[in-house]
Amino acid sequence: MPKEIRPVQMHTMEQLLAPLGVTNQYKGLHVMSFNPGDIEVPILHPFRSDHFFLTLVHEGELSISANLLEYNLKRNNILMVAPNTVRQFLNVSPDCRLTSIIFTSAYLSATSIHTKNVEAFDFLSSQVNPLLVIDQEAADTLIPIMKILESKMDVRNDLAYQDEVVLSIFTGFIYEIGALYQKQQKIAEVKGTRKEELTFRFLKILPQHFKEERSVQAYAAMLNITPKYLSQTVKEITGKTAGEFIDEIVILEAKVALNDPSLTIAQIAAYLNFADQFFFSKFFKKQCGTSPSKYRQTPL
């Protein structure tokens, strides 16, 4: 039976936290404050996860790539990375301090926010724009809530109603985030960001279909617009065309796969739905300036 190929690896919450010395997490929830400069970032390659990852930067700067877009987080910036998003830690300043809340979809569902107040769920579900910029007053509201949640991570589950207390605090935090996101979106709507929304919709569906569809026409059809308008809009917002993004995500997957010596180039070509190894090699060389086999021989 051919080996299953999953080039961009999926990491669980436990796999992400273990290199940081964290061996426990509260039933699908974990909160931690730290300075990334004081530790070795556990995962440097592109990866996906099975959980949400929300980070608030207190000081310094942090750069993360999410679905091929680079986000440079500064003081009072919040980034929400949803499950299955291809992400990569790029750079961190020596003075960076941040607090991260990591939680599973199951834990989020326990809040029932998605059934009670759909609008408060937008920041987590739509991922139209995963970056939230807040002022110091809002940060002063959020940080104490995050600290309380973090303190609960060290409490043993021997107190009555412990689960209910933690879930209630977490639910309140999500509502606070939802309110801030709605405020930001209303401001953005006034400034006219329909093109930004279209761009993020394209970048959201791209990771889901790139192995089967590599034409701008296909994605334009999914979005009910013309290929020309899609490319022009994406170019205007990001500086890259839709076609360039399509090629980039294919190459990203190909490079990660090529780093696995147990996979043949023919297997990788088939996984990425190229007609054969020749067409894959031709595409790879055009994009990277070298053949897949020579790339594989280059030290990382």
Side-chain angles (χ1 to χ4, degrees):
M1 180 180 294
K3 179 180 178 179
E4 180 184 4
I5 302 178
R6 299 184 64 179
V8 176
Q9 297 180 6
M10 174 73 74
H11 290 287
T12 64
M13 182 186 293
E14 290 77 11
Q15 290 171 331
L16 186 66
L17 293 175
L20 301 176
V22 179
T23 57
N24 65 312
Q25 42 89 10
Y26 192 90
K27 300 180 179 180
L29 172 70
H30 190 79
V31 185
M32 55 185 177
S33 298
F34 61 101
N35 181 344
D38 293 339
I39 62 173
E40 183 178 352
V41 177
I43 303 174
L44 295 176
H45 56 261
F47 70 98
R48 293 186 174 96
S49 73
D50 65 348
H51 52 271
F52 289 90
F53 180 82
L54 183 150
T55 293
L56 168 61
V57 174
H58 304 293
E59 299 290 345
E61 298 183 14
L62 174 69
S63 296
I64 298 178
S65 171
N67 280 349
L68 303 181
L69 283 183
E70 183 175 335
Y71 296 93
N72 298 306
L73 279 66
K74 300 179 180 180
R75 180 184 176 89
N76 295 338
N77 286 183
I78 299 173
L79 185 70
M80 167 59 70
V81 181
N84 297 313
T85 300
V86 178
R87 85 289 304 269
Q88 183 176 14
F89 297 104
L90 300 176
N91 190 38
V92 57
S93 66
D95 61 337
C96 182
R97 291 192 305 107
L98 55 84
T99 298
S100 295
I101 297 184
I102 304 171
F103 53 95
T104 63
S105 297
Y107 195 83
L108 178 63
S109 295
T111 65
S112 298
I113 291 176
H114 61 292
T115 58
K116 295 177 181 178
N117 298 89
V118 177
E119 295 82 3
F121 197 72
D122 284 348
F123 185 50
L124 304 170
S125 60
S126 69
Q127 286 297 285
V128 170
N129 185 355
L131 180 64
L132 180 60
V133 180
I134 62 175
D135 56 25
Q136 190 59 49
E137 182 179 358
D140 291 340
T141 298
L142 291 178
I143 292 173
I145 301 175
M146 299 174 83
K147 286 184 177 179
I148 293 174
L149 277 174
E150 185 175 12
S151 69
K152 295 294 181 181
M153 299 299 99
D154 298 326
V155 177
R156 296 186 179 277
N157 301 332
D158 56 359
L159 298 176
Y161 313 116
Q162 175 74 358
D163 293 351
E164 290 80 1
V165 169
V166 174
L167 182 61
S168 294
I169 297 171
F170 175 77
T171 302
F173 175 78
I174 296 301
Y175 274 120
E176 291 283 358
I177 289 288
L180 292 169
Y181 182 67
Q182 282 190 45
K183 179 180 178 181
Q184 177 174 283
Q185 286 302 98
K186 288 180 180 178
I187 295 174
E189 288 172 5
V190 172
K191 294 182 178 179
T193 58
R194 290 183 180 178
K195 290 185 177 181
E196 289 185 4
E197 181 176 355
L198 174 61
T199 298
F200 282 107
R201 284 172 59 201
F202 163 69
L203 293 173
K204 182 179 180 180
I205 65 174
L206 178 58
Q208 303 168 15
H209 301 284
F210 75 92
K211 285 185 291 183
E212 294 77 27
E213 300 290 351
R214 284 194 287 272
S215 71
V216 176
Q217 289 85 348
Y219 293 95
M222 295 178 199
L223 297 168
N224 297 314
I225 57 176
T226 66
K228 182 178 180 181
Y229 183 71
L230 175 59
S231 283
Q232 288 178 340
T233 300
V234 174
K235 175 77 172 179
E236 180 180 333
I237 299 300
T238 68
K240 299 179 184 177
T241 66
E244 288 172 331
F245 274 109
I246 296 170
D247 291 342
E248 279 188 21
I249 196 167
V250 174
I251 290 298
L252 173 66
E253 293 270 350
K255 285 182 175 180
V256 176
L258 287 166
N259 289 332
D260 184 347
S262 69
L263 300 174
T264 67
I265 293 176
Q267 285 176 319
I268 297 170
Y271 169 74
L272 294 173
N273 283 317
F274 283 87
D276 54 36
Q277 182 177 334
F278 170 78
F279 283 102
F280 168 65
S281 297
K282 184 178 180 181
F283 172 82
F284 190 92
K285 187 170 184 178
K286 179 181 178 181
Q287 298 297 323
C288 303
T290 188
S291 67
S293 58
K294 287 185 178 179
Y295 171 82
R296 179 167 262 176
Q297 295 167 6
T298 303
L300 296 176

